[in-house]
């Protein structure tokens, strides 16, 4: 089973897939140096590349290679988001999303091959500036200019400062289980601690708040509370005069914080908190559908339901 692998996840994925019996063809110069690869001119049966937002990979190729490749990835990572776009014998296409925990396992794989800063793939996916910071730091270590332990300590400190700044304007990148990327905001950071922020957004349209069934009016505002690496956000809605309209808990994969945005994969199931103090879980059928379609694993399914149950009990 012959693969060509490109992109920010390539070193980690090649390490994993070679161990699983796949052959890497058409390697880059760095891949040749790191893995001693020799299949330079052989055509691949499947190609792995980054998606445009770098939180997914795209796999395209013949089904008899793509399918076992996806199976191996799902066996290794518990929290993958797997979206089949096309399933044809000669032309299959699947998108595989890497939440935070999967990125950490990718770091472990890469570190077996080359020096890898903490949060390597987390940062690689966070934008060009942060990605360049990774390259610069690892290059300093590889050239012997900074000891690995010292660089790892300094880099970890930098990542811990990624919490968006007070009064900055940021976006919420909300990725659905069908791969749709929804940008919420920009909103203003109105409260901040080391790992928690509150984001204020003004409501600019009318209608009904999804899940709450409550009238939405121009002039309303929403306050979203998010904690780094937590698995839910809470958005409280208020009228122009400040009257509480309801709250919406969005269950997700661990939330990634970057200087100008936060990112997570939405797991579809949610908890709503109504003005009459009623609390209920909604959209469990969407989560079940994702499980049945093998978009998510059974373990991720169970985690999402347990989180929803806990929120219902604790109302954080």
């Amino acid at each position: 089973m012959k693969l060509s692998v490109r992109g920010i996840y390539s070193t980690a994925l090649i390490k994993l897939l070679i161990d699983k019996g796949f052959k890497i063809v058409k390697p880059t110069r760095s891949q040749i140096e790191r893995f001693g690869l020799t299949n330079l001119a052989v055509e691949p049966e499947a190609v792995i590349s980054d998606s445009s937002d770098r939180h997914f990979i795209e796999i395209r190729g013949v089904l008899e290679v793509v399918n076992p490749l996806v199976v191996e990835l799902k066996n290794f990572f518990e929290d993958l988001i797997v979206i089949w776009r096309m399933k044809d014998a000669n032309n299959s296409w699947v998108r595989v999303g890497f939440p935070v925990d999967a990125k950490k396992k990718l770091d472990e794989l890469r570190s077996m091959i080359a020096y890898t800063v903490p949060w390597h793939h987390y940062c690689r996916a966070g934008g060009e500036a942060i990605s360049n910071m990774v390259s610069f730091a690892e290059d300093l270590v590889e050239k012997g200019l900074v000891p690995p332990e010292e660089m790892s300590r300094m880099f970890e400190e930098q990542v811990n400062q990624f919490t968006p700044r007070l009064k900055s304007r940021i976006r919420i990148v909300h990725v659905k289980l069908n791969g749709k990327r929804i940008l919420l905001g920009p909103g203003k950071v109105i409260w901040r601690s080391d790992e928690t922020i509150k984001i204020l957004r003004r409501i600019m349209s009318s209608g009904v708040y999804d899940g709450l069934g409550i009238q939405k009016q121009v002039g309303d505002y929403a306050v979203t509370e998010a904690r780094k690496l937590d698995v839910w956000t809470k958005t409280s809605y208020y009228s122009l005069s400040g009257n509480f309209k309801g709250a919406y808990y969005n269950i997700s994969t661990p939330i990634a914080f970057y200087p100008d945005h936060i990112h997570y994969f939405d797991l579809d199931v949610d908890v709503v908190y109504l003005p009459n103090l009623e609390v209920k879980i909604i959209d469990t059928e969407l989560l079940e559908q994702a499980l049945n379609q093998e978009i998510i694993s059974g373990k991720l399914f169970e985690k999402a339901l347990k989180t929803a149950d806990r929120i219902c009990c604790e109302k954080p």
Side-chain angles (χ1 to χ4, degrees):
M1 294 181 286
K2 299 183 287 291
L3 306 174
S4 172
V5 187
R6 297 290 188 272
I8 64 172
Y9 303 103
S10 58
T11 300
L13 289 175
I14 288 172
K15 165 59 180 168
L16 173 64
L17 296 172
I18 286 178
D19 290 349
K20 298 298 183 181
F22 291 84
K23 292 184 178 180
I24 307 303
V25 300
K26 288 197 170 180
T28 64
R29 182 184 299 176
S30 65
Q31 290 170 4
I32 292 171
E33 292 172 353
R34 286 174 174 168
F35 295 96
L37 302 173
T38 56
N39 300 309
L40 303 184
V42 179
E43 287 299 315
E45 296 168 297
V47 175
I48 300 175
S49 60
D50 293 341
S51 66
S52 58
D53 76 347
R54 292 183 163 189
H55 290 281
F56 284 90
I57 56 170
E58 310 267 356
I59 307 173
R60 298 173 187 260
V62 297
L63 185 59
E64 66 179 3
V65 173
V66 174
N67 200 54
L69 169 54
V70 171
V71 169
E72 291 292 356
L73 292 176
K74 290 170 74 173
N75 287 340
F76 189 80
F77 301 98
E78 293 182 357
D79 59 337
L80 293 187
I81 310 298
V82 179
I83 307 166
W84 283 93
R85 295 301 195 193
M86 186 181 302
K87 211 166 186 178
D88 179 78
N90 297 313
N91 187 20
S92 292
W93 172 24
V94 63
R95 299 187 77 201
V96 178
F98 292 124
V100 170
D101 289 342
K103 289 186 177 78
K104 289 164 69 175
K105 290 196 75 172
L106 286 160
D107 288 354
E108 293 173 9
L109 287 167
R110 190 183 187 280
S111 67
M112 298 176 187
I113 304 301
Y115 171 72
T116 301
V117 293
W119 305 97
H120 172 104
H121 294 96
Y122 179 102
C123 294
R124 282 288 199 200
E128 201 64 34
I130 298 173
S131 183
N132 289 339
M133 186 174 78
V134 172
S135 298
F136 180 71
E138 291 176 347
D139 191 48
L140 289 177
V141 172
E142 288 172 5
K143 289 179 177 177
L145 299 175
V146 180
E149 299 80 7
E150 179 68 10
M151 178 58 76
S152 294
R153 182 189 62 78
M154 293 189 298
F155 201 89
E156 182 103 41
E157 289 176 357
Q158 288 297 311
V159 175
N160 289 339
Q161 296 175 25
F162 280 178
T163 303
R165 295 187 179 279
L166 190 64
K167 298 183 180 180
S168 64
R169 298 187 68 80
I170 69 169
R171 291 189 181 275
I172 300 170
V173 183
H174 176 106
V175 184
K176 303 290 288 182
L177 290 180
N178 61 7
K180 184 178 180 181
R181 190 168 178 261
I182 299 172
L183 298 179
L184 302 175
K188 183 178 181 180
V189 178
I190 59 171
W191 188 88
R192 177 188 189 272
S193 69
D194 287 343
E195 295 188 339
T196 304
I197 57 174
K198 292 182 181 180
I199 308 162
L200 172 68
R201 291 182 291 122
R202 297 291 179 182
I203 305 301
M204 306 303 291
S205 61
S206 58
V208 176
Y209 288 114
D210 183 35
L212 293 170
I214 295 171
Q215 195 72 24
K216 176 169 65 173
Q217 296 174 308
V218 175
D220 287 355
Y221 62 94
V223 177
T224 298
E225 180 177 343
R227 180 186 294 271
K228 184 179 180 180
L229 302 182
D230 214 337
V231 291
W232 55 270
T233 59
K234 176 185 178 182
T235 300
S236 301
Y237 296 95
Y238 300 89
S239 69
L240 179 62
S241 59
N243 292 324
F244 177 66
K245 287 193 165 187
Y248 198 97
Y249 295 85
N250 185 83
I251 314 301
S252 68
T253 61
I255 302 164
F257 274 19
Y258 299 106
D260 61 353
H261 70 282
I262 66 174
H263 178 282
Y264 54 80
F265 293 89
D266 173 32
L267 295 180
D268 282 340
V269 65
D270 302 292
V271 177
V272 292
Y273 184 24
L274 302 174
N276 64 4
L277 305 184
E278 179 186 3
V279 181
K280 61 181 180 180
I281 299 173
I282 62 170
D283 295 338
T284 54
E285 72 281 1
L286 297 178
L287 184 68
E288 290 172 358
Q289 182 179 334
L291 176 66
N292 293 335
Q293 293 176 352
E294 298 185 341
I295 295 172
I296 62 172
S297 67
K299 288 186 177 180
L300 194 54
F301 174 84
E302 293 296 335
K303 282 182 181 179
L305 287 183
K306 286 180 180 178
T307 299
D309 286 337
R310 179 171 59 83
I311 289 172
C312 273
C313 294
E314 298 177 3
K315 306 180 190 66

